[in-house]
Amino acid sequence: LVGVVAQNEAHLPMNRGKLFQRFFVMMPQIRRRDVPANVPFDVVNTALAKLGFEMQERGRLSADLGEVRGWQIPCAERKLEDVLVQAKDWRLLKSEGQLGEPVEFLHHLFLEYFAAVHLKTEIGDSRFEVLGERLFSGEWDEVIVMLAGISDAPAALVKWLGTQVVKKQQGRVAFMVERCWKTTDAVKDVQALGVVVDTFLAALCH
Protein backbone atom coordinates (compact mmCIF):
# COMPACT_ATOMS: atom_id res chain seq x y z
CA LEU A 1 0.00 0.00 0.00
CA VAL A 2 2.79 2.41 0.92
CA GLY A 3 4.70 1.44 -2.21
CA VAL A 4 1.75 2.11 -4.50
CA VAL A 5 1.17 5.56 -3.01
CA ALA A 6 4.90 6.39 -2.95
CA GLN A 7 5.22 5.70 -6.68
CA ASN A 8 2.63 8.36 -7.43
CA GLU A 9 3.11 10.97 -4.69
CA ALA A 10 5.98 13.36 -3.99
CA HIS A 11 5.40 12.91 -0.25
CA LEU A 12 3.61 10.23 1.73
CA PRO A 13 0.47 11.38 3.59
CA MET A 14 1.05 12.43 7.19
CA ASN A 15 -1.25 9.83 8.75
CA ARG A 16 -2.77 6.42 8.16
CA GLY A 17 -6.21 7.75 7.29
CA LYS A 18 -4.92 9.92 4.44
CA LEU A 19 -2.63 7.10 3.27
CA PHE A 20 -5.59 4.76 2.90
CA GLN A 21 -7.68 7.52 1.34
CA ARG A 22 -5.10 8.07 -1.40
CA PHE A 23 -4.64 4.34 -1.94
CA PHE A 24 -8.34 3.63 -2.39
CA VAL A 25 -8.65 6.42 -4.95
CA MET A 26 -5.67 5.09 -6.90
CA MET A 27 -6.45 1.36 -6.76
CA PRO A 28 -9.36 1.36 -9.29
CA GLN A 29 -7.19 3.37 -11.69
CA ILE A 30 -4.38 0.85 -11.38
CA ARG A 31 -6.68 -2.13 -11.77
CA ARG A 32 -8.58 -0.75 -14.77
CA ARG A 33 -5.99 -2.27 -17.11
CA ASP A 34 -7.24 -5.72 -16.09
CA VAL A 35 -10.67 -5.07 -14.54
CA PRO A 36 -13.50 -3.04 -16.10
CA ALA A 37 -15.23 -0.51 -13.84
CA ASN A 38 -18.79 -1.80 -14.00
CA VAL A 39 -19.76 0.12 -10.85
CA PRO A 40 -18.70 3.76 -10.21
CA PHE A 41 -16.09 4.36 -7.53
CA ASP A 42 -18.35 6.55 -5.38
CA VAL A 43 -21.00 3.82 -5.23
CA VAL A 44 -18.45 1.22 -4.15
CA ASN A 45 -16.91 3.63 -1.62
CA THR A 46 -20.27 4.44 0.01
CA ALA A 47 -21.30 0.78 0.13
CA LEU A 48 -18.01 -0.35 1.68
CA ALA A 49 -18.22 2.49 4.21
CA LYS A 50 -21.57 1.18 5.49
CA LEU A 51 -20.33 -2.42 5.32
CA GLY A 52 -17.22 -1.57 7.35
CA PHE A 53 -19.26 0.34 9.91
CA GLU A 54 -21.77 -2.48 10.39
CA MET A 55 -19.00 -5.07 10.78
CA GLN A 56 -17.16 -2.89 13.28
CA GLU A 57 -20.37 -2.23 15.19
CA ARG A 58 -20.97 -5.96 15.51
CA GLY A 59 -17.33 -6.85 16.24
CA ARG A 60 -17.13 -8.93 13.07
CA LEU A 61 -14.36 -9.48 10.52
CA SER A 62 -16.65 -11.34 8.13
CA ALA A 63 -20.36 -11.93 7.54
CA ASP A 64 -22.60 -14.11 5.38
CA LEU A 65 -23.97 -12.41 2.28
CA GLY A 66 -27.53 -13.05 3.48
CA GLU A 67 -26.80 -11.17 6.68
CA VAL A 68 -25.17 -8.30 4.81
CA ARG A 69 -28.31 -7.93 2.68
CA GLY A 70 -30.17 -6.99 5.86
CA TRP A 71 -27.80 -4.14 6.70
CA GLN A 72 -29.32 -1.72 4.17
CA ILE A 73 -26.07 -1.19 2.30
CA PRO A 74 -26.57 1.79 -0.08
CA CYS A 75 -25.91 0.74 -3.66
CA ALA A 76 -27.48 3.56 -5.74
CA GLU A 77 -29.93 1.16 -7.42
CA ARG A 78 -27.14 -1.30 -8.25
CA LYS A 79 -27.29 -4.90 -7.10
CA LEU A 80 -25.41 -5.43 -3.86
CA GLU A 81 -23.70 -8.47 -5.35
CA ASP A 82 -22.38 -6.43 -8.29
CA VAL A 83 -20.99 -3.77 -5.95
CA LEU A 84 -19.22 -6.38 -3.83
CA VAL A 85 -17.78 -8.10 -6.90
CA GLN A 86 -16.40 -4.78 -8.11
CA ALA A 87 -14.83 -4.17 -4.70
CA LYS A 88 -13.20 -7.59 -4.82
CA ASP A 89 -11.92 -6.98 -8.35
CA TRP A 90 -10.32 -3.77 -7.09
CA ARG A 91 -8.74 -5.84 -4.27
CA LEU A 92 -10.60 -4.09 -1.50
CA LEU A 93 -12.47 -7.23 -0.42
CA LYS A 94 -10.99 -10.67 0.08
CA SER A 95 -14.30 -12.33 -0.80
CA GLU A 96 -17.76 -11.16 -1.82
CA GLY A 97 -19.85 -14.04 -0.48
CA GLN A 98 -21.44 -15.39 -3.66
CA LEU A 99 -19.84 -18.84 -3.53
CA GLY A 100 -20.80 -19.56 0.05
CA GLU A 101 -17.73 -17.91 1.56
CA PRO A 102 -18.25 -14.94 3.90
CA VAL A 103 -18.00 -11.31 2.85
CA GLU A 104 -14.65 -10.14 4.15
CA PHE A 105 -12.31 -7.18 3.67
CA LEU A 106 -8.83 -7.86 2.35
CA HIS A 107 -7.39 -6.66 5.67
CA HIS A 108 -8.97 -5.57 8.94
CA LEU A 109 -7.38 -2.12 8.52
CA PHE A 110 -9.48 -1.72 5.37
CA LEU A 111 -12.56 -2.41 7.48
CA GLU A 112 -11.52 0.22 10.04
CA TYR A 113 -10.83 2.81 7.35
CA PHE A 114 -14.21 2.36 5.70
CA ALA A 115 -15.96 2.48 9.08
CA ALA A 116 -14.23 5.85 9.58
CA VAL A 117 -15.48 7.03 6.18
CA HIS A 118 -19.04 6.20 7.23
CA LEU A 119 -18.65 8.04 10.53
CA LYS A 120 -17.27 11.10 8.71
CA THR A 121 -20.43 11.18 6.60
CA GLU A 122 -22.67 10.75 9.66
CA ILE A 123 -20.85 13.48 11.59
CA GLY A 124 -21.07 16.00 8.76
CA ASP A 125 -19.89 19.45 9.83
CA SER A 126 -19.81 19.00 13.60
CA ARG A 127 -22.18 16.29 14.87
CA PHE A 128 -19.41 14.59 16.87
CA GLU A 129 -21.97 13.23 19.33
CA VAL A 130 -22.62 10.54 16.71
CA LEU A 131 -19.57 8.78 18.15
CA GLY A 132 -21.41 8.29 21.45
CA GLU A 133 -19.96 5.70 23.81
CA ARG A 134 -17.81 4.23 21.03
CA LEU A 135 -15.19 6.73 22.14
CA PHE A 136 -14.69 4.88 25.42
CA SER A 137 -15.07 1.25 24.30
CA GLY A 138 -11.49 0.66 23.14
CA GLU A 139 -12.81 -1.26 20.14
CA TRP A 140 -13.13 1.92 18.06
CA ASP A 141 -9.74 3.50 18.81
CA GLU A 142 -8.17 2.75 15.42
CA VAL A 143 -11.34 3.80 13.60
CA ILE A 144 -11.38 7.15 15.41
CA VAL A 145 -7.69 7.73 14.65
CA MET A 146 -8.50 7.01 10.99
CA LEU A 147 -11.44 9.40 11.26
CA ALA A 148 -9.20 12.17 12.57
CA GLY A 149 -6.86 11.55 9.66
CA ILE A 150 -9.52 12.05 7.00
CA SER A 151 -11.55 14.69 8.87
CA ASP A 152 -12.00 18.12 7.31
CA ALA A 153 -11.85 19.64 10.80
CA PRO A 154 -9.39 17.54 12.84
CA ALA A 155 -8.78 20.26 15.44
CA ALA A 156 -12.51 20.53 16.20
CA LEU A 157 -12.70 16.74 16.48
CA VAL A 158 -9.71 16.59 18.84
CA LYS A 159 -11.21 19.32 21.05
CA TRP A 160 -14.51 17.46 21.25
CA LEU A 161 -12.78 14.14 22.01
CA GLY A 162 -10.63 15.69 24.72
CA THR A 163 -13.57 17.49 26.28
CA GLN A 164 -15.46 14.20 26.52
CA VAL A 165 -12.47 12.48 28.15
CA VAL A 166 -12.23 15.18 30.81
CA LYS A 167 -15.98 15.39 31.34
CA LYS A 168 -16.41 11.66 31.86
CA GLN A 169 -13.01 11.05 33.48
CA GLN A 170 -12.00 8.36 31.00
CA GLY A 171 -8.23 8.73 31.27
CA ARG A 172 -7.38 5.71 29.14
CA VAL A 173 -8.65 7.50 26.06
CA ALA A 174 -6.09 10.31 26.47
CA PHE A 175 -3.49 8.40 24.48
CA MET A 176 -5.87 7.90 21.57
CA VAL A 177 -6.76 11.61 21.60
CA GLU A 178 -3.05 12.46 21.51
CA ARG A 179 -2.60 10.26 18.43
CA CYS A 180 -5.48 12.07 16.71
CA TRP A 181 -3.83 15.39 17.56
CA LYS A 182 -0.21 14.76 16.63
CA THR A 183 -0.85 12.99 13.30
CA THR A 184 -3.17 15.65 11.84
CA ASP A 185 -3.27 19.40 11.23
CA ALA A 186 -4.74 19.71 14.72
CA VAL A 187 -1.12 19.78 15.94
CA LYS A 188 -0.97 23.40 14.69
CA ASP A 189 -3.96 24.44 16.82
CA VAL A 190 -2.99 25.92 20.21
CA GLN A 191 -6.43 25.28 21.71
CA ALA A 192 -6.28 21.65 20.63
CA LEU A 193 -2.91 21.34 22.37
CA GLY A 194 -4.46 22.71 25.55
CA VAL A 195 -7.24 20.13 25.38
CA VAL A 196 -4.72 17.32 24.90
CA VAL A 197 -2.85 18.48 28.00
CA ASP A 198 -6.15 18.46 29.91
CA THR A 199 -6.80 14.87 28.81
CA PHE A 200 -3.44 13.78 30.25
CA LEU A 201 -4.22 15.54 33.49
CA ALA A 202 -7.47 13.58 33.55
CA ALA A 203 -5.48 10.41 32.86
CA LEU A 204 -3.22 11.09 35.83
CA CYS A 205 -6.30 11.41 38.04
CA HIS A 206 -7.92 8.27 36.63
Side-chain angles (χ1 to χ4, degrees):
L1 186 153
V2 173
V4 168
V5 176
Q7 288 175 14
N8 295 274
E9 300 282 343
H11 302 284
L12 284 175
M14 66 187 296
N15 61 64
R16 184 183 292 173
K18 288 192 181 297
L19 177 66
F20 275 73
Q21 191 176 56
R22 290 298 305 133
F23 175 76
F24 290 128
V25 169
M26 292 163 55
M27 201 61 187
Q29 300 171 10
I30 294 170
R31 292 287 291 154
R32 68 184 176 186
R33 303 170 214 156
D34 305 309
V35 178
N38 297 317
V39 181
F41 172 77
D42 63 312
V43 175
V44 175
N45 189 64
T46 302
L48 291 185
K50 184 68 156 73
L51 176 65
F53 174 81
E54 293 293 346
M55 284 187 172
Q56 180 69 23
E57 188 85 315
R58 292 165 170 76
R60 306 278 293 281
L61 294 178
S62 62
D64 293 337
L65 180 58
E67 184 179 8
V68 172
R69 287 194 186 103
W71 292 350
Q72 299 180 329
I73 306 296
C75 296
E77 299 183 355
R78 304 279 183 144
K79 290 179 62 178
L80 173 63
E81 292 81 357
D82 293 341
V83 175
L84 297 179
V85 166
Q86 186 73 77
K88 182 184 177 184
D89 288 344
W90 285 341
R91 295 179 178 167
L92 307 181
L93 291 179
K94 178 180 179 181
S95 53
E96 84 285 2
Q98 294 199 72
L99 298 177
E101 79 283 13
V103 178
E104 184 176 350
F105 281 91
L106 190 66
H107 194 280
H108 75 273
L109 288 174
F110 286 23
L111 185 159
E112 291 170 344
Y113 167 78
F114 281 109
V117 171
H118 179 79
L119 283 174
K120 180 184 177 184
T121 301
E122 291 293 298
I123 288 170
D125 293 333
S126 58
R127 294 178 57 245
F128 301 123
E129 64 273 10
V130 166
L131 294 175
E133 292 302 310
R134 298 182 185 94
L135 171 60
F136 308 116
S137 71
E139 300 297 324
W140 288 80
D141 283 9
E142 296 304 321
V143 175
I144 294 173
V145 172
M146 288 269 200
L147 172 63
I150 63 176
S151 173
D152 297 326
L157 174 59
V158 167
K159 292 173 193 176
W160 184 86
L161 293 172
T163 299
Q164 296 304 304
V165 171
V166 174
K167 179 180 178 181
K168 300 191 177 182
Q169 291 297 300
Q170 294 287 333
R172 181 200 65 79
V173 190
F175 298 97
M176 186 266 287
V177 175
E178 185 213 14
R179 288 174 62 199
C180 293
W181 168 73
K182 72 180 182 181
T183 60
T184 67
D185 286 341
V187 75
K188 303 173 185 176
D189 190 295
V190 176
Q191 290 182 338
L193 170 60
V195 171
V196 171
V197 171
D198 289 342
T199 64
F200 277 110
L201 292 174
L204 288 171
C205 296
H206 186 207

